Amino acid sequence: MAVNHAPAIRLTNAAAEFMDNHLGAHFHPSLPNPDIEYDPAVDNFRPRQDILLDKIFCEALQERKAFLDAIKAFRDEDRRRSRVELGIFEEAGWDDVLETVSNAQTDAEVNAIKGMSGAVRNLARRLGNAGDAFNAWLQILPNDAFGSAICGGFKIFIDAATRHKDLCQEVFDALGEIPEVIKDADFSFNEYQSEELFKRVAKLYTVIMETLKRILSFYQERASGRHTGVARNVFKAIAKGPNYGRAIEADIQRLKESASAVKQEADRCFHRRVGEMKNAQDFQTLQATHGLNIMQGVYAQMQYQLKCQIQCWRESKADNLALRNQMTELKRAATPQRSPRNGPTLRKIAQLLNTSPSTADQDMEEVLREAQRFPIFLQTQANQFMTSQKLQDWLVSPYSCALLAQASEGDEKISALSFVASLLVQSLRITDSEDAIPLYFNCGLHTDPYNDSLVGATGGLQSIIAQLLRTERLDFDLGFIDHKHIQALEYGDLEALCDLFEGLTQQLPRSTVLLLVVDGISFYETRDRLGDTCCAMNRMLELVDKASFVFKLLVTSPGLSAHVSKGFHHEQVYWLPEFDPEEDDGFHHHVSVFRNQAGVQVRTAQMRLMRSDSESMAID
């Protein structure tokens, strides 16, 4: 027989060869594309990564096909023998597996199937605990079809085992081992995935397919009744003795070894990725450090210049003050003595205070607006204070009195106590009593010394005095303010402000009720403000004791007042109770009642005082 020595002819794809050999970037920017390659298996161009995965998962794909063929044969035989249609197999996911287990558990409990309820419940627990880890591993497979084969196999086995209660425990034990092995391996995948990692994932998938085929063969043998001599415990958990099927035990051991190999390579990928990120971060850190050093040098230079300017300003200010004092003394010596003046004008005092009386109104509007968004615990605290006996006694008392309301802890700039204090002032203004004067200051809203002139006890007194001077029905005599007093006010002297407030209030009629609310005093108990705060509050408390009119002082603190509280007697302090979630809120009802009645209660106390004075005058 003659031997043909002619060379074999290899057929190629002419179009693909032409694109590879003749078309480049000069023809189109996307050519050549290193990520795209011609795949003769499908006669088309595909991503190189997909072609590589097909080669890596070739054995896994064959094992998957063999498992699907075995499942199809099993379903056909089982349908013919039991005339029962098993669940849908295609396009199954892990959620479908969990749903199948849940349905089986419900059926076992409803029908009270002895021995099955506990087995199904145990399987549901094991699949649920390992579900997240197992589902995460499924996502790294090339496509959903690979994961559907596993999940579909689980569904088929669970559906079939529930119809053989003498087999369900063993089958469920074997199925529960697979996701638990994946969970115990503790994979950690990142965007860097090597070719070796995919090879080990493919090997793990192949072992799972072989294990599922082994479980299927055991189930077929037991369900058909052909091997009655097989021990009942063939499917018991790993390492439970010689009764466990040797083949299944070997498959599970291979599964563990394969999962461990995937774990090792995933860790290597992670460390490579960390190394790349560290190199990039080191470069960025070097650049950032260099820029930071430059900025710090500029900042140090600017800070030094600022200190020099501040020092020059202070020296200039001191020189100007000394020169002004000298000029004043010379002018006074050269000017003949005149009759005493009646003090400065109200406009002059208002200019010295350098604040607007409307600031208090804006603060109260902000507090009342914020209270509309109070959570339940703040609404409950507000209810407790509004309905407290100490607040009611303070309101209806016809005599001067002070009250400190504080909580054991808290740092809200707008607290439940802030809301009640603002509501009280609003209620008194609604009443429009001629002899009732409400004054208000919120410490928590004035804590920024760089953007706010009303900070600290000095700013608070300036705001309160400005509100008092705004009272149109009062005609204050400012003759008690001399030149030195004016100079002290110009520099914001705290004692001068206290003297001014006391001098103004001494001119109030006896029938007047002056209500002063200082909210959030704990914000002014800081180290740099504590001295002025205590000094101002002591002057206010002294005025409560000696005022000829009715002076009601309400001070609130969202947290514990460590210093101002020492000036109040025990009976003058109200402690806000701890939040009780079981307490009925009724917040809006209490707010409406308090707004309508608080001002009336103060007015009633004022009428009682006037009646008492009239009776005293009649007796005299």
Side-chain angles (χ1 to χ4, degrees), residues 62-350:
Q62 295 175 357
E63 195 65 36
R64 172 181 175 275
K65 183 178 183 303
F67 175 68
L68 294 180
D69 292 341
I71 283 291
K72 185 177 182 302
F74 166 68
R75 291 179 65 191
D76 294 341
E77 180 183 356
D78 195 76
R79 185 188 302 112
R80 176 181 52 78
R81 183 174 60 249
S82 61
R83 298 181 181 180
V84 175
E85 182 68 27
L86 293 176
I88 299 176
F89 178 79
E90 292 76 10
E91 299 183 0
W94 190 249
D95 291 339
D96 299 323
V97 175
L98 297 180
E99 182 181 358
T100 302
V101 175
S102 177
N103 294 338
Q105 183 177 355
T106 302
D107 293 341
E109 293 175 352
V110 171
N111 298 323
I113 303 176
K114 184 178 180 182
M116 182 177 293
S117 179
V120 178
R121 185 165 54 250
N122 182 51
L123 177 63
R125 177 185 57 80
R126 297 176 71 181
L127 297 186
N129 293 340
D132 291 341
F134 192 72
N135 198 32
W137 175 79
L138 293 177
Q139 304 307 313
I140 201 175
L141 298 174
N143 53 59
D144 295 339
F146 285 85
S148 296
I150 297 176
C151 297
F154 270 75
K155 286 186 56 180
I156 293 295
F157 292 155
I158 294 171
D159 284 339
T162 53
R163 292 187 286 106
H164 296 273
K165 64 179 181 179
D166 58 330
L167 294 178
C168 67
Q169 180 67 51
E170 291 82 352
V171 173
F172 290 166
D173 281 347
L175 291 178
E177 291 285 350
I178 296 176
E180 283 189 346
V181 169
I182 302 298
K183 174 179 177 293
D184 293 340
D186 191 20
F187 299 138
S188 178
F189 299 115
N190 58 77
E191 63 271 18
Y192 182 84
Q193 297 168 353
S194 64
E195 180 178 344
E196 179 63 24
L197 177 63
F198 283 111
K199 290 180 179 179
R200 297 189 182 192
V201 170
K203 180 62 178 177
L204 176 58
Y205 183 86
T206 302
V207 173
I208 291 178
M209 288 289 98
E210 293 173 350
T211 303
L212 291 177
K213 284 200 304 181
R214 192 84 61 186
I215 295 174
L216 176 62
S217 64
F218 270 101
Y219 175 80
Q220 289 176 312
E221 292 175 1
R222 291 295 307 276
S224 62
R226 289 175 297 174
H227 298 273
T228 56
V230 180
R232 174 176 174 78
N233 293 327
V234 303
F235 283 104
K236 287 296 181 183
I238 302 300
K240 287 191 176 180
N243 289 333
Y244 194 87
R246 293 183 179 276
I248 290 292
E249 184 178 15
D251 286 340
I252 296 298
Q253 183 60 35
R254 288 175 57 216
L255 182 63
K256 290 182 177 181
E257 294 173 355
S258 182
S260 177
V262 173
K263 164 69 173 174
Q264 292 176 0
E265 183 60 23
D267 290 345
R268 293 192 191 101
C269 292
F270 173 76
H271 290 307
R272 295 189 194 108
R273 178 57 180 163
V274 170
E276 293 176 356
M277 294 176 62
K278 185 177 184 303
N279 292 335
Q281 289 177 352
D282 289 344
F283 178 72
Q284 294 176 357
T285 302
L286 182 62
Q287 287 184 318
T289 303
H290 180 65
L292 181 61
N293 292 336
I294 296 176
M295 293 178 62
Q296 287 178 341
V298 174
Y299 173 75
Q301 184 178 4
M302 294 176 61
Q303 192 175 34
Y304 174 75
Q305 293 176 353
L306 179 61
K307 287 182 179 180
C308 293
Q309 292 177 0
I310 292 175
Q311 183 64 27
C312 292
W313 176 79
R314 287 176 177 174
E315 293 175 356
S316 176
K317 183 179 179 182
D319 294 341
N320 290 337
L321 180 59
L323 182 60
R324 182 183 300 176
N325 292 336
Q326 293 177 6
M327 293 295 293
T328 301
E329 293 297 331
L330 291 173
K331 186 177 180 179
R332 182 179 301 169
T335 303
Q337 294 293 326
R338 299 179 181 178
S339 57
R341 299 177 58 189
N342 197 27
T345 62
L346 287 177
R347 183 176 181 181
K348 176 65 175 177
I349 298 300

Side-chain angles (χ1 to χ4, degrees), residues 545-566:
D545 294 333
K546 66 182 181 181
S548 59
F549 56 93
V550 178
F551 184 27
K552 291 181 177 289
L553 174 63
L554 174 61
V555 181
T556 71
S557 175
L560 179 64
S561 173
H563 301 279
V564 173
S565 59
K566 296 178 181 179

